[in-house]
Amino acid sequence: MASLTVLSMTAVPDHLRGALTRWLLEVTPQLYVGTISAKVREELWASVSDCIADGVAVLVHPTANEQGFALRTAGTQRRQPVDFDGLLLIAQARATTPESQEIAKP
């Protein structure tokens, strides 16, 4: 059964963007939406994961859980989805700045 799928990407190759437009509608630059089958979704995600390089990708699709959706991420600089008692949360690493790295002086 086909279901709504949302795919957001940044810094990905143009050939990947072109391939995705065969199945999904690019509503804004690098944000894709469409109603596709689970098989097509899995194949598209495999393609995205294989050639994401330094980019970031997030896939959201419906599933039978409390929130009603599943989330997948790929890429080197991604935020981490964390399961917290069945609730999906996003963990983000703290940014290190010169001020945060200073050693406190007595």
Side-chain angles (χ1 to χ4, degrees):
M1 179 176 174
S3 61
L4 181 66
T5 300
V6 178
L7 179 61
S8 174
M9 300 183 303
T10 56
V12 295
D14 287 337
H15 70 87
L16 180 59
R17 294 178 66 192
L20 289 172
T21 58
R22 295 179 189 147
W23 297 97
L24 303 168
L25 180 64
E26 188 173 14
V27 294
T28 62
Q30 300 186 21
L31 177 65
Y32 300 86
V33 178
T35 303
I36 55 177
S37 69
K39 174 71 173 165
V40 172
R41 181 181 66 234
E42 295 303 319
E43 293 295 325
L44 289 177
W45 185 247
S47 297
V48 168
S49 298
D50 288 345
C51 67
I52 197 69
D54 292 331
V56 177
V58 177
L59 174 75
V60 180
H61 63 89
T63 193
N65 64 15
E66 284 294 318
Q67 291 174 304
F69 65 88
L71 180 114
R72 298 184 199 176
T73 61
T76 56
Q77 303 174 9
R78 67 179 189 238
R79 297 175 178 182
Q80 292 289 351
V82 177
D83 185 308
F84 185 76
D85 288 336
L87 182 65
L88 183 64
L89 302 175
I90 303 296
Q92 184 174 352
R94 289 186 177 188
T96 56
T97 62
E99 295 83 25
S100 67
Q101 294 177 351
E102 289 181 8
I103 299 173
K105 296 179 183 177

XYZ file of all heavy atoms in Angstrom:
803
model
N 0.830 -1.178 0.000
C 0.000 0.000 0.000
C 0.877 1.246 0.000
O 1.842 1.342 0.754
C -0.890 -0.012 1.244
C -1.779 1.170 1.346
S -2.851 0.957 2.788
C -3.629 2.507 2.788
N 0.558 2.195 -0.827
C 1.329 3.425 -0.936
C 1.051 4.340 0.248
O -0.054 4.369 0.781
C 0.983 4.134 -2.242
N 2.068 5.078 0.661
C 1.902 6.006 1.776
C 2.731 7.263 1.527
O 3.693 7.256 0.766
C 2.319 5.346 3.086
O 3.674 4.972 3.034
N 2.354 8.332 2.211
C 3.045 9.607 2.073
C 4.468 9.481 2.602
O 4.700 8.947 3.693
C 2.310 10.699 2.850
C 2.933 12.092 2.771
C 2.852 12.618 1.349
C 2.243 13.031 3.728
N 5.416 9.982 1.847
C 6.827 9.946 2.222
C 7.408 11.342 2.050
O 7.118 12.018 1.064
C 7.602 8.948 1.334
O 7.023 7.660 1.506
C 9.064 8.902 1.685
N 8.220 11.771 3.014
C 8.897 13.060 2.949
C 10.391 12.809 3.068
O 10.836 12.079 3.953
C 8.429 14.000 4.091
C 9.178 15.323 4.041
C 6.934 14.214 4.020
N 11.162 13.412 2.173
C 12.617 13.248 2.151
C 13.254 14.625 2.047
O 12.964 15.372 1.116
C 13.030 12.372 0.972
C 14.499 12.106 0.755
C 15.110 11.391 1.953
C 14.704 11.283 -0.499
N 14.099 14.956 3.016
C 14.807 16.232 3.018
C 16.302 15.947 2.937
O 16.807 15.058 3.622
C 14.497 16.991 4.307
O 15.277 18.168 4.375
N 17.000 16.721 2.090
C 18.437 16.500 1.918
C 19.162 17.830 1.797
O 18.574 18.824 1.373
C 18.689 15.686 0.654
C 18.031 14.342 0.660
S 18.417 13.377 -0.801
C 17.877 14.430 -2.101
N 20.440 17.841 2.160
C 21.305 18.997 1.947
C 22.634 18.512 1.409
O 23.093 17.422 1.756
C 21.549 19.781 3.248
O 22.094 18.906 4.227
C 20.274 20.399 3.779
N 23.226 19.313 0.546
C 24.556 19.048 -0.013
C 24.647 17.665 -0.643
O 25.518 16.871 -0.302
C 25.631 19.231 1.053
N 23.755 17.381 -1.576
C 23.771 16.093 -2.264
C 24.046 16.315 -3.747
O 23.799 17.402 -4.274
C 22.449 15.327 -2.074
C 22.253 14.952 -0.624
C 21.278 16.114 -2.586
N 24.555 15.302 -4.442
C 24.857 15.450 -5.864
C 23.599 15.709 -6.701
O 22.512 15.227 -6.379
C 25.473 14.092 -6.243
C 25.822 13.425 -4.960
C 24.938 14.006 -3.914
N 23.765 16.463 -7.782
C 22.645 16.787 -8.662
C 22.011 15.543 -9.284
O 20.803 15.504 -9.473
C 23.090 17.743 -9.768
C 23.334 19.152 -9.242
O 22.773 19.492 -8.187
O 24.077 19.897 -9.903
N 22.819 14.541 -9.596
C 22.255 13.335 -10.214
C 21.275 12.633 -9.277
O 20.287 12.047 -9.712
C 23.346 12.371 -10.680
C 24.098 11.704 -9.572
N 23.681 10.542 -8.969
C 25.247 12.054 -8.960
C 24.534 10.195 -8.030
N 25.491 11.088 -7.990
N 21.520 12.722 -7.977
C 20.599 12.128 -7.005
C 19.290 12.907 -6.962
O 18.207 12.329 -6.924
C 21.236 12.086 -5.622
C 20.383 11.497 -4.500
C 19.979 10.067 -4.828
C 21.132 11.552 -3.194
N 19.388 14.212 -7.010
C 18.185 15.049 -7.037
C 17.340 14.730 -8.260
O 16.111 14.636 -8.178
C 18.571 16.524 -7.014
C 19.228 16.943 -5.716
C 19.645 18.382 -5.739
N 18.442 19.225 -5.797
C 18.483 20.514 -6.054
N 19.636 21.118 -6.284
N 17.373 21.213 -6.073
N 17.980 14.556 -9.392
C 17.251 14.229 -10.616
C 16.574 12.870 -10.538
O 15.444 12.696 -10.986
N 17.259 11.900 -9.950
C 16.690 10.554 -9.826
C 15.467 10.554 -8.909
O 14.491 9.847 -9.163
C 17.751 9.588 -9.307
N 15.505 11.347 -7.862
C 14.383 11.392 -6.920
C 13.138 12.012 -7.539
O 12.017 11.658 -7.180
C 14.771 12.153 -5.658
C 15.760 11.430 -4.755
C 16.222 12.348 -3.645
C 15.154 10.170 -4.188
N 13.326 12.941 -8.477
C 12.161 13.599 -9.085
C 11.375 12.657 -9.996
O 10.284 13.007 -10.428
C 12.571 14.854 -9.881
O 13.517 14.493 -10.891
C 13.163 15.900 -8.959
N 11.895 11.481 -10.268
C 11.119 10.484 -11.025
C 9.990 9.914 -10.185
O 8.987 9.458 -10.714
C 12.026 9.351 -11.487
C 13.066 9.783 -12.469
C 13.942 8.632 -12.878
N 15.055 9.137 -13.661
C 16.254 8.625 -13.664
N 16.513 7.556 -12.916
N 17.195 9.141 -14.400
N 10.170 9.917 -8.859
C 9.203 9.303 -7.953
C 8.517 10.294 -7.028
O 7.402 10.059 -6.572
C 9.891 8.241 -7.095
C 10.445 7.126 -7.895
C 11.732 6.989 -8.315
C 9.730 6.003 -8.401
N 11.865 5.841 -9.044
C 10.645 5.207 -9.117
C 8.414 5.583 -8.312
C 10.288 4.025 -9.724
C 8.046 4.405 -8.928
C 8.983 3.640 -9.626
N 9.227 11.380 -6.700
C 8.716 12.334 -5.718
C 8.675 13.738 -6.308
O 9.389 14.050 -7.252
C 9.624 12.331 -4.473
C 9.813 10.993 -3.779
C 10.947 11.078 -2.755
C 8.529 10.548 -3.120
N 7.869 14.594 -5.721
C 7.749 15.981 -6.146
C 8.689 16.831 -5.298
O 8.655 16.763 -4.065
C 6.305 16.446 -5.964
C 5.980 17.881 -6.346
C 6.194 18.089 -7.842
C 4.551 18.194 -5.976
N 9.535 17.630 -5.946
C 10.456 18.516 -5.221
C 9.713 19.823 -4.935
O 9.650 20.717 -5.769
C 11.725 18.763 -6.043
C 12.789 19.499 -5.279
C 14.111 19.594 -6.036
O 14.143 19.330 -7.250
O 15.109 19.946 -5.396
N 9.136 19.933 -3.739
C 8.286 21.080 -3.406
C 9.085 22.339 -3.107
O 8.619 23.447 -3.349
C 7.315 20.761 -2.254
C 6.313 19.721 -2.685
C 8.050 20.298 -1.012
N 10.250 22.201 -2.536
C 11.228 23.282 -2.379
C 12.579 22.633 -2.655
O 12.686 21.408 -2.672
C 11.226 23.896 -0.959
O 11.575 22.904 -0.011
C 9.884 24.501 -0.615
N 13.626 23.438 -2.869
C 14.921 22.811 -3.150
C 15.312 21.777 -2.088
O 15.365 22.077 -0.901
C 15.898 23.987 -3.164
C 15.046 25.139 -3.574
C 13.706 24.889 -2.939
N 15.504 20.560 -2.529
C 15.959 19.420 -1.735
C 14.963 18.958 -0.677
O 15.340 18.327 0.304
C 17.330 19.712 -1.140
C 18.354 19.984 -2.232
C 19.751 20.140 -1.724
O 20.091 19.698 -0.642
N 20.601 20.755 -2.522
N 13.681 19.238 -0.866
C 12.609 18.693 -0.030
C 11.630 17.984 -0.962
O 11.017 18.618 -1.819
C 11.890 19.787 0.752
C 10.713 19.306 1.602
C 11.202 18.379 2.716
C 9.950 20.471 2.170
N 11.509 16.672 -0.790
C 10.718 15.836 -1.687
C 9.544 15.225 -0.944
O 9.682 14.784 0.189
C 11.587 14.708 -2.258
C 12.755 15.231 -3.041
C 13.939 15.571 -2.411
C 12.659 15.411 -4.404
C 15.008 16.070 -3.120
C 13.724 15.911 -5.130
C 14.892 16.248 -4.486
O 15.941 16.754 -5.191
N 8.383 15.192 -1.617
C 7.166 14.637 -1.036
C 6.485 13.794 -2.095
O 6.466 14.155 -3.278
C 6.208 15.764 -0.578
C 4.927 15.191 -0.028
C 6.887 16.660 0.432
N 5.933 12.659 -1.671
C 5.188 11.828 -2.604
C 4.519 10.662 -1.923
O 4.807 10.355 -0.763
N 3.619 10.031 -2.644
C 2.940 8.836 -2.165
C 3.498 7.668 -2.956
O 3.247 7.541 -4.158
C 1.412 8.961 -2.377
O 0.977 10.139 -1.710
C 0.696 7.760 -1.820
N 4.304 6.850 -2.281
C 4.985 5.736 -2.936
C 4.835 4.473 -2.091
O 4.525 4.541 -0.906
C 6.490 6.049 -3.168
C 7.178 6.436 -1.856
C 6.654 7.150 -4.206
C 8.658 6.693 -1.966
N 5.110 3.342 -2.702
C 5.032 2.065 -1.991
C 6.256 1.887 -1.089
O 7.279 2.562 -1.259
C 4.951 0.916 -2.981
O 6.179 0.774 -3.664
N 6.159 0.951 -0.167
C 7.285 0.660 0.733
C 8.489 0.161 -0.053
O 9.631 0.503 0.268
C 6.864 -0.363 1.775
N 8.265 -0.618 -1.085
C 9.359 -1.145 -1.905
C 10.116 -0.007 -2.589
O 11.348 0.038 -2.563
C 8.796 -2.119 -2.948
C 9.805 -2.622 -3.943
C 10.780 -3.564 -3.326
C 11.658 -4.174 -4.420
N 12.824 -4.807 -3.897
N 9.383 0.927 -3.193
C 10.023 2.072 -3.848
C 10.747 2.917 -2.815
O 11.871 3.365 -3.043
C 8.983 2.902 -4.634
C 9.585 4.198 -5.146
C 8.407 2.089 -5.782
N 10.119 3.147 -1.652
C 10.752 3.931 -0.585
C 12.077 3.303 -0.161
O 13.083 3.996 0.000
C 9.807 4.050 0.609
C 10.380 4.864 1.747
C 9.438 4.955 2.925
N 9.247 3.649 3.529
C 8.075 3.083 3.748
N 6.957 3.687 3.406
N 7.993 1.894 4.316
N 12.107 1.994 0.012
C 13.343 1.297 0.414
C 14.425 1.429 -0.653
O 15.596 1.649 -0.332
C 13.061 -0.172 0.709
C 12.147 -0.405 1.899
C 12.661 0.210 3.177
O 13.875 0.140 3.448
O 11.844 0.790 3.919
N 14.049 1.311 -1.912
C 15.023 1.442 -3.003
C 15.567 2.870 -3.092
O 16.769 3.066 -3.288
C 14.394 1.030 -4.339
C 14.066 -0.444 -4.423
C 15.298 -1.332 -4.386
O 16.361 -0.928 -4.931
O 15.221 -2.426 -3.808
N 14.688 3.851 -2.956
C 15.141 5.242 -2.986
C 16.065 5.542 -1.804
O 17.096 6.190 -1.964
C 13.946 6.197 -2.961
C 13.107 6.273 -4.219
C 11.914 7.201 -4.004
C 13.925 6.724 -5.404
N 15.710 5.041 -0.626
C 16.550 5.283 0.548
C 17.918 4.615 0.389
O 18.936 5.191 0.787
C 15.873 4.807 1.821
C 16.678 5.150 3.036
C 17.299 4.280 3.880
C 16.987 6.451 3.524
N 17.961 4.969 4.868
C 17.785 6.306 4.665
C 16.666 7.737 3.097
C 18.272 7.397 5.387
C 17.160 8.820 3.822
C 17.943 8.642 4.954
N 17.964 3.454 -0.194
C 19.242 2.780 -0.449
C 20.106 3.628 -1.387
O 21.309 3.788 -1.160
C 19.007 1.393 -1.028
N 19.492 4.198 -2.415
C 20.235 5.064 -3.347
C 20.752 6.312 -2.648
O 21.893 6.720 -2.845
C 19.343 5.473 -4.518
O 18.949 4.361 -5.255
N 19.912 6.924 -1.846
C 20.305 8.129 -1.111
C 21.438 7.809 -0.142
O 22.445 8.510 -0.095
C 19.094 8.724 -0.353
C 19.532 9.790 0.627
C 18.077 9.281 -1.329
N 21.308 6.745 0.614
C 22.325 6.368 1.605
C 23.663 6.054 0.958
O 24.714 6.346 1.536
C 21.856 5.157 2.408
O 20.690 5.470 3.117
N 23.639 5.456 -0.232
C 24.876 5.064 -0.905
C 25.677 6.250 -1.433
O 26.898 6.170 -1.524
C 24.582 4.105 -2.053
C 24.180 2.732 -1.565
O 24.396 2.431 -0.370
O 23.634 1.954 -2.366
N 25.010 7.332 -1.804
C 25.768 8.431 -2.423
C 25.590 9.762 -1.697
O 25.798 10.807 -2.295
C 25.405 8.558 -3.896
S 23.740 9.071 -4.219
N 25.282 9.740 -0.411
C 25.064 10.973 0.334
C 26.370 11.738 0.572
O 26.369 12.948 0.690
C 24.313 10.697 1.663
C 23.725 11.982 2.235
C 25.191 10.029 2.675
C 22.609 12.551 1.481
N 27.501 11.043 0.640
C 28.834 11.648 0.831
C 28.843 12.559 2.064
O 28.604 12.094 3.162
C 29.272 12.387 -0.416
N 29.106 13.856 1.873
C 29.173 14.804 2.996
C 27.831 15.465 3.282
O 27.744 16.328 4.143
C 30.211 15.891 2.712
C 31.622 15.332 2.714
O 31.851 14.337 3.435
O 32.479 15.882 2.009
N 26.809 15.065 2.564
C 25.490 15.661 2.758
C 24.740 15.031 3.915
O 25.253 14.189 4.650
N 23.499 15.462 4.078
C 22.628 14.959 5.136
C 21.274 14.647 4.518
O 20.779 15.408 3.690
C 22.465 16.012 6.255
C 21.503 15.535 7.311
C 23.805 16.350 6.871
N 20.666 13.535 4.922
C 19.338 13.165 4.434
C 18.474 12.694 5.596
O 18.958 12.038 6.515
C 19.441 12.068 3.388
N 17.192 13.040 5.537
C 16.210 12.621 6.535
C 14.987 12.111 5.786
O 14.465 12.804 4.916
C 15.808 13.783 7.464
C 14.740 13.330 8.449
C 17.010 14.342 8.190
N 14.546 10.917 6.128
C 13.370 10.298 5.524
C 12.314 10.104 6.600
O 12.614 9.585 7.676
C 13.733 8.940 4.920
C 12.573 8.123 4.372
C 12.109 8.698 3.047
C 12.981 6.677 4.203
N 11.074 10.531 6.315
C 9.958 10.365 7.242
C 8.833 9.665 6.502
O 8.494 10.058 5.376
C 9.463 11.729 7.771
C 8.307 11.538 8.737
C 10.593 12.497 8.424
N 8.276 8.612 7.118
C 7.155 7.900 6.516
C 6.265 7.346 7.627
O 6.711 7.141 8.750
C 7.642 6.784 5.590
C 8.420 5.722 6.291
N 7.832 4.616 6.848
C 9.752 5.596 6.532
C 8.760 3.850 7.394
N 9.937 4.425 7.223
N 4.985 7.106 7.316
C 4.058 6.615 8.337
C 4.371 5.188 8.771
O 4.866 4.382 7.983
C 2.696 6.654 7.653
C 2.885 7.225 6.321
C 4.335 7.351 6.053
N 4.092 4.908 10.032
C 4.220 3.558 10.563
C 3.293 3.428 11.779
O 2.801 4.428 12.285
C 5.680 3.226 10.920
O 5.811 1.833 11.144
C 6.154 3.984 12.134
N 3.104 2.199 12.219
C 2.196 1.947 13.340
C 2.939 2.066 14.669
O 3.413 1.087 15.221
C 1.558 0.567 13.216
N 3.076 3.286 15.171
C 3.632 3.522 16.496
C 2.890 4.711 17.119
O 1.977 5.267 16.516
C 5.154 3.741 16.446
C 5.561 4.974 15.678
O 4.758 5.851 15.376
N 6.833 5.056 15.351
N 3.270 5.114 18.327
C 2.571 6.190 19.020
C 2.584 7.505 18.248
O 1.599 8.228 18.225
C 3.179 6.415 20.408
C 2.793 5.373 21.417
C 1.306 5.414 21.746
O 0.744 6.503 21.908
O 0.721 4.332 21.829
N 3.712 7.817 17.624
C 3.828 9.076 16.899
C 3.228 8.982 15.493
O 2.948 9.997 14.877
C 5.287 9.518 16.822
C 5.806 9.940 18.185
C 7.285 10.234 18.162
O 8.086 9.395 17.771
N 7.647 11.434 18.587
N 3.093 7.776 14.969
C 2.504 7.592 13.650
C 3.476 7.714 12.496
O 3.070 7.673 11.339
N 4.772 7.849 12.797
C 5.762 7.944 11.719
C 7.091 7.349 12.167
O 7.367 7.209 13.349
C 5.968 9.397 11.264
C 6.555 10.295 12.316
C 7.922 10.422 12.465
C 5.727 11.016 13.158
C 8.466 11.252 13.429
C 6.253 11.856 14.137
C 7.622 11.975 14.266
N 7.900 7.020 11.167
C 9.268 6.559 11.401
C 10.205 7.572 10.766
O 9.849 8.256 9.804
C 9.482 5.187 10.785
N 11.411 7.660 11.295
C 12.389 8.626 10.815
C 13.724 7.921 10.624
O 14.139 7.134 11.469
C 12.539 9.732 11.871
C 13.513 10.823 11.519
C 12.755 12.126 11.342
C 14.534 10.951 12.613
N 14.371 8.206 9.499
C 15.711 7.676 9.229
C 16.616 8.835 8.854
O 16.183 9.793 8.240
C 15.688 6.697 8.064
C 14.855 5.487 8.285
C 15.011 4.574 7.102
N 13.924 3.623 7.058
C 13.764 2.750 6.089
N 14.607 2.714 5.085
N 12.756 1.913 6.114
N 17.893 8.724 9.208
C 18.857 9.747 8.845
C 20.075 9.092 8.211
O 20.383 7.928 8.470
C 19.311 10.559 10.072
O 19.942 9.678 10.998
C 18.151 11.264 10.728
N 20.758 9.856 7.380
C 22.009 9.399 6.761
C 22.902 10.610 6.556
O 22.426 11.728 6.400
C 21.734 8.718 5.425
N 24.189 10.375 6.570
C 25.147 11.454 6.348
C 26.106 11.577 7.508
O 25.865 11.072 8.600
N 27.190 12.283 7.260
C 28.247 12.381 8.259
C 27.945 13.378 9.361
O 28.423 13.235 10.469
C 29.578 12.772 7.585
O 29.375 13.991 6.865
C 30.047 11.688 6.650
N 27.159 14.406 9.091
C 26.895 15.441 10.087
C 25.434 15.404 10.515
O 24.758 16.403 10.560
C 27.212 16.808 9.506
C 28.634 16.913 9.027
C 28.878 18.223 8.324
O 28.065 19.120 8.330
N 30.029 18.332 7.694
N 24.959 14.257 10.852
C 23.536 14.128 11.131
C 23.211 14.224 12.620
O 24.038 13.956 13.465
C 23.011 12.827 10.574
C 23.569 11.611 11.267
C 22.964 10.363 10.661
N 23.342 9.232 11.454
C 23.987 8.190 11.004
N 24.312 8.129 9.751
N 24.294 7.187 11.785
N 22.004 14.599 12.880
C 21.464 14.539 14.234
C 21.067 13.096 14.472
O 20.736 12.380 13.548
C 20.252 15.450 14.361
C 20.592 16.894 14.152
C 19.350 17.716 14.167
N 19.688 19.115 14.003
C 18.807 20.076 14.012
N 17.527 19.799 14.159
N 19.183 21.320 13.864
N 21.069 12.671 15.705
C 20.791 11.280 16.028
C 19.380 11.097 16.568
O 19.037 11.693 17.589
C 21.786 10.771 17.081
C 23.197 10.652 16.602
C 23.375 9.503 15.634
O 22.498 8.679 15.433
N 24.522 9.448 15.010
N 18.559 10.278 15.894
C 17.267 9.926 16.488
C 17.498 9.002 17.680
O 18.325 8.098 17.627
C 16.531 9.178 15.377
C 17.371 9.284 14.163
C 18.726 9.733 14.573
N 16.787 9.257 18.771
C 16.943 8.474 19.996
C 15.562 8.011 20.443
O 14.631 8.806 20.523
C 17.598 9.332 21.107
C 17.701 8.545 22.397
C 18.945 9.842 20.669
N 15.443 6.708 20.737
C 14.190 6.165 21.248
C 14.171 6.369 22.762
O 15.009 5.853 23.483
C 14.087 4.679 20.913
C 12.749 4.105 21.309
O 12.347 4.285 22.479
O 12.114 3.458 20.463
N 13.200 7.126 23.229
C 13.062 7.410 24.659
C 11.713 6.868 25.108
O 10.691 7.525 24.961
C 13.166 8.920 24.907
C 13.146 9.304 26.346
C 14.263 9.133 27.140
C 12.007 9.846 26.911
C 14.248 9.488 28.463
C 11.976 10.205 28.241
C 13.094 10.026 29.023
N 11.705 5.641 25.600
C 10.476 4.967 26.033
C 9.405 4.952 24.951
O 8.237 5.222 25.201
C 9.913 5.598 27.302
C 10.750 5.282 28.523
O 11.463 4.256 28.491
O 10.690 6.044 29.496
N 9.822 4.652 23.721
C 8.883 4.560 22.614
C 8.606 5.875 21.919
O 7.902 5.921 20.920
N 9.169 6.969 22.407
C 8.997 8.287 21.805
C 10.283 8.660 21.086
O 11.359 8.607 21.682
C 8.675 9.317 22.895
C 8.418 10.738 22.448
C 7.149 10.800 21.603
C 8.285 11.640 23.655
N 10.176 9.027 19.834
C 11.351 9.382 19.050
C 11.737 10.826 19.333
O 10.929 11.745 19.182
C 11.062 9.209 17.560
C 12.221 9.463 16.623
C 13.333 8.442 16.859
C 11.750 9.410 15.192
N 12.976 11.030 19.778
C 13.523 12.358 20.031
C 14.777 12.526 19.186
O 15.349 11.551 18.712
C 13.866 12.534 21.513
C 12.721 12.346 22.498
C 13.241 12.426 23.919
C 11.633 13.372 22.252
N 15.226 13.764 19.025
C 16.425 14.050 18.239
C 17.507 14.592 19.166
O 17.300 15.591 19.861
C 16.141 15.082 17.127
C 15.034 14.613 16.211
C 17.409 15.396 16.344
C 15.354 13.357 15.436
N 18.657 13.917 19.171
C 19.806 14.368 19.958
C 20.733 15.157 19.039
O 21.033 14.729 17.930
C 20.542 13.178 20.539
N 21.156 16.295 19.517
C 22.042 17.143 18.735
C 23.296 17.410 19.546
O 23.211 17.786 20.722
C 21.347 18.454 18.382
C 22.151 19.340 17.507
C 21.360 20.559 17.057
O 20.162 20.663 17.283
N 22.028 21.488 16.426
N 24.449 17.221 18.927
C 25.711 17.453 19.623
C 25.876 18.937 19.912
O 25.473 19.789 19.115
C 26.872 16.949 18.785
N 26.453 19.242 21.059
C 26.723 20.636 21.405
C 27.831 21.177 20.525
O 28.794 20.490 20.218
C 27.156 20.750 22.856
C 26.061 20.497 23.811
C 26.540 20.768 25.195
N 25.441 20.579 26.131
C 25.510 20.889 27.387
N 26.609 21.389 27.893
N 24.475 20.685 28.171
N 27.684 22.422 20.151
C 28.726 23.085 19.364
C 29.860 23.473 20.303
O 29.623 23.961 21.405
C 28.167 24.314 18.682
N 31.078 23.251 19.857
C 32.226 23.661 20.664
C 32.698 25.016 20.163
O 32.967 25.201 18.986
C 33.363 22.633 20.588
O 33.713 22.433 19.229
C 32.934 21.324 21.218
N 32.757 25.969 21.048
C 33.213 27.314 20.732
C 34.455 27.613 21.546
O 34.709 26.976 22.569
C 32.120 28.351 21.048
O 31.850 28.291 22.448
C 30.852 28.075 20.261
N 35.237 28.586 21.142
C 36.438 28.921 21.931
C 36.099 29.256 23.375
O 36.849 28.927 24.281
C 37.018 30.125 21.203
C 36.528 29.996 19.803
C 35.166 29.348 19.902
N 34.939 29.911 23.607
C 34.562 30.264 24.969
C 34.294 29.023 25.814
O 34.598 28.964 26.983
C 33.312 31.163 24.979
C 33.511 32.516 24.334
C 33.353 32.473 22.824
O 32.665 31.581 22.302
O 33.943 33.324 22.168
N 33.707 27.977 25.206
C 33.374 26.772 25.964
C 34.609 25.921 26.218
O 34.570 25.028 27.044
C 32.298 25.965 25.237
O 32.817 25.446 24.034
N 35.680 26.185 25.497
C 36.892 25.388 25.666
C 37.884 26.034 26.632
O 38.895 25.463 26.956
C 37.565 25.158 24.311
C 36.731 24.293 23.388
C 37.378 24.133 22.029
O 38.356 24.795 21.705
N 36.825 23.245 21.236
N 37.604 27.257 27.060
C 38.521 27.934 27.979
C 38.508 27.227 29.324
O 37.490 26.740 29.792
C 38.099 29.388 28.180
C 38.350 30.247 26.955
C 37.938 31.690 27.196
O 37.604 32.036 28.345
O 37.940 32.453 26.228
N 39.648 27.224 29.965
C 39.776 26.628 31.289
C 39.506 27.722 32.316
O 40.040 28.834 32.236
C 41.179 26.029 31.507
C 41.410 24.921 30.477
C 41.360 25.537 32.926
C 42.803 24.373 30.492
N 38.666 27.415 33.255
C 38.313 28.395 34.294
C 39.550 28.707 35.132
O 40.275 27.822 35.552
C 37.201 27.858 35.175
N 39.771 29.988 35.351
C 40.920 30.420 36.152
C 40.464 30.703 37.559
O 39.390 31.259 37.775
C 41.541 31.665 35.534
C 42.110 31.423 34.155
C 42.681 32.683 33.569
C 43.180 32.418 32.155
N 43.685 33.616 31.528
N 41.282 30.337 38.588
C 40.892 30.581 39.982
C 40.906 32.035 40.347
O 41.419 32.865 39.792
C 41.904 29.786 40.806
C 43.048 29.463 39.893
C 42.546 29.643 38.495
